[in-house]
Amino acid sequence: MNKIKTVMRIIWSCCGTLLVAAVLLLAVLNFLSKPSGDGLFGYKGYTVISGSMEPTLKVGDYVVVKVEDFDQLQVGEIITFEDEGMMVTHRIISITDEGIQTRGDHNTVNDMKQVTEDKFVGRMAVHIPYLGHVMIWMQNPLIFAVVLGLIAVRIAFLLLWKHE
């Protein structure tokens, strides 16, 4: 019975530590995701807030984009770009000398403006369903404070906990 308790304690401790690490990683990724910045090791994260890319990307999904060379993009890839202060994630329809023509998968017409190199943010590397809902939820100051408090308690517990 003591071995089971020890194993369960170790599993619980590992899960808590992984959760804290994931929350901190996402916080840093979001903080470094300014369009003009370098991101976190070349990656930036954004929450999907419209249904223009459904069914591929749904409202509340989280996209991680990789900062890439504009000249290496290809038709069919999903990119994120800045349009009038908003981050937009759409699919490349065509590439011309003037720029890149994009369209949301759910839209019936192409975007009005072509994406130029100065507006390009990155190519979608991965999307995580529903994580964007959590990111929006975390913007509530009370919830953010509670999560930071829990992280602080977890770190204090790890530092002060004496092994038997």
Side-chain angles (χ1 to χ4, degrees):
M1 189 62 140
N2 238 358
K3 283 185 179 184
I4 293 175
K5 249 184 175 177
T6 302
V7 168
M8 291 304 291
R9 189 177 296 151
I10 291 169
I11 290 172
W12 181 251
S13 179
C14 288
C15 288
T17 301
L18 287 173
L19 183 61
V20 167
V23 168
L24 291 175
L25 178 68
L26 282 170
V28 170
L29 179 65
N30 271 344
F31 181 75
L32 297 175
S33 290
K34 294 179 182 100
S36 59
D38 295 331
L40 179 63
F41 304 112
Y43 291 91
K44 299 176 182 184
Y46 302 100
T47 298
V48 176
I49 59 171
S50 84
S52 66
M53 279 298 290
E54 289 186 357
T56 308
L57 302 172
K58 294 178 176 49
V59 173
D61 287 356
Y62 191 77
V63 294
V64 178
V65 299
K66 174 88 169 103
V67 177
E68 299 275 348
D69 185 16
F70 187 75
D71 298 329
Q72 299 301 313
L73 297 173
Q74 298 178 2
V75 171
E77 293 180 319
I78 298 173
I79 62 170
T80 297
F81 55 94
E82 186 178 8
D83 184 21
E84 297 180 13
M86 296 286 293
M87 295 297 104
V88 178
T89 301
H90 280 172
R91 189 175 305 277
I92 296 173
I93 301 303
S94 64
I95 300 173
T96 67
D97 291 337
E98 291 80 38
I100 293 176
Q101 183 64 61
T102 57
R103 178 175 61 214
D105 288 357
H106 191 72
N107 297 345
T108 56
V109 295
N110 293 345
D111 295 334
M112 291 176 61
K113 298 179 189 173
Q114 290 196 352
V115 179
T116 54
E117 189 168 4
D118 61 316
K119 297 296 183 182
F120 172 67
V121 175
R123 176 189 342 214
M124 187 176 80
V126 67
H127 95 275
I128 305 165
Y130 308 110
L131 182 60
H133 291 295
V134 175
M135 301 308 287
I136 292 170
W137 188 61
M138 290 285 292
Q139 291 177 6
N140 179 321
L142 177 61
I143 294 187
F144 185 70
V146 168
V147 170
L148 283 180
L150 290 172
I151 289 172
V153 167
R154 177 70 186 146
I155 291 170
F157 179 77
L158 285 173
L159 294 173
L160 302 173
W161 182 43
K162 305 243 188 265
H163 299 286
E164 296 175 15

